[in-house]
Amino acid sequence: AQKITQTQPGMFVQEKEAVTLDCTYDTSDPSYGLFWYKQPSSGEMIFLIYQGSYDQQNATEGRYSLNFQKARKSANLVISASQLGDSAMYFCAMRSRGGNQFYFGTGTSLTVIP
Amino acid sequence: DADVTQTPRNRITKTGKRIMLECSQTKGHDRMYWYRQDPGLGLRLIYYSFDVKDINKGEISDGYSVSRQAQAKFSLSLESAIPNQTALYFCATSGLPTAYNEQFFGPGTRLTVL
């Protein structure tokens, strides 16, 4: 069975500081993709970053990076230089190659403090 | 124009009423999904479809039905709405089931059942 776990219901970070949002996953498939989405208070789901299970390097997209530790089955999102606009819910998700479904975690609510 | 659109964006209805949520996409994707989001529970899959002749139940399909009228259109119906179906509903699409194809989400429909 596939499963995504986000153990931090809520996180706070000071503006301009870095923050790590945790995500662990469980799968027996050798090939899979890991995704992070941002959901601001307006409700839309915004794709942030992707990491493939065979990628040798950690993914980066601007201020977002993914700390991928395959042996530990973790895919933590790192946001550098936090901004007030980063306050939102963040969801980790996974899909196996050839898989029909995406599996989502329960999300982490991030609040950036001025 | 948005790639994935949902109508209505907000809806308030009464217990026992039939309601339909509609989703259209211009991304040319075959795969379409319906999710509901409840606080603390993340996104849960209701139904998904790979083409007009292929409909699959997700994790929480009871009380819901769907119709895939065309490649670009996927509707979700609540035959007899009940208050615990109050939630934020998302339609999503994705490309081929390679691990790296993310899902693209519509803006969501906030449904309240009184």
Side-chain angles (χ1 to χ4, degrees):
Chain A
Q2 322 245 4
K3 187 177 180 181
I4 293 285
T5 302
Q6 294 181 255
T7 58
Q8 306 156 312
M11 290 280 288
F12 292 87
V13 63
Q14 203 75 36
E15 192 177 8
K16 301 181 183 178
E17 297 293 314
V19 63
T20 298
L21 306 184
D22 294 341
C23 172
T24 58
Y25 60 92
D26 187 19
T27 181
S28 57
D29 293 318
S31 180
Y32 50 88
L34 296 155
F35 307 84
W36 277 91
Y37 286 85
K38 172 184 179 181
Q39 185 182 39
S41 59
S42 52
E44 71 269 30
M45 295 286 285
I46 302 167
F47 168 69
L48 293 178
I49 194 167
Y50 160 84
Q51 177 82 44
S53 60
Y54 289 118
D55 292 343
Q56 295 298 312
Q57 293 188 330
N58 288 339
T60 60
E61 288 288 347
R63 293 186 298 112
Y64 304 108
S65 61
L66 203 152
N67 184 1
F68 180 48
Q69 298 186 47
K70 192 171 183 177
R72 299 179 63 181
K73 293 188 175 180
S74 74
N76 299 337
L77 177 70
V78 181
I79 305 175
S80 62
S82 296
Q83 302 172 356
L84 296 178
D86 294 333
S87 293
M89 283 289 291
Y90 289 82
F91 291 96
C92 180
M94 176 176 67
R95 181 189 200 180
S96 295
R97 187 172 73 90
N100 298 325
Q101 297 184 34
F102 289 76
Y103 296 89
F104 286 83
T106 52
T108 295
S109 177
L110 177 67
T111 301
V112 180
I113 302 168
Chain B
D1 289 340
D3 294 321
V4 184
T5 58
Q6 292 182 234
T7 55
R9 294 292 311 278
N10 292 280
R11 181 72 182 266
I12 300 173
T13 191
K14 295 182 178 180
T15 297
K17 294 291 188 181
R18 183 179 187 274
I19 184 168
M20 178 181 288
L21 309 183
E22 299 186 338
C23 176
S24 295
Q25 55 113 347
T26 58
K27 298 196 72 67
H29 289 160
D30 290 327
R31 285 158 171 76
M32 297 187 74
Y33 307 77
W34 276 105
Y35 294 92
R36 67 175 280 175
Q37 182 182 11
D38 300 275
L41 296 179
L43 275 74
R44 293 184 291 167
L45 183 63
I46 306 172
Y47 273 96
Y48 58 103
S49 168
F50 297 152
D51 64 36
V52 295
K53 298 180 181 179
D54 185 284
I55 303 291
N56 304 276
K57 292 183 177 181
E59 179 186 358
I60 53 164
S61 59
D62 287 348
Y64 302 94
S65 62
V66 291
S67 173
R68 185 80 183 267
Q69 301 94 325
Q71 186 207 35
K73 296 184 182 297
F74 192 36
S75 300
L76 176 72
S77 293
L78 288 67
E79 297 300 327
S80 180
I82 56 177
N84 76 0
Q85 290 177 314
T86 293
L88 179 59
Y89 290 83
F90 284 105
C91 174
T93 75
S94 72
L96 293 173
T98 57
Y100 55 82
N101 277 332
E102 76 268 30
Q103 282 191 314
F104 295 86
F105 285 83
T109 294
R110 292 190 183 274
L111 176 65
T112 302
V113 183
L114 301 176

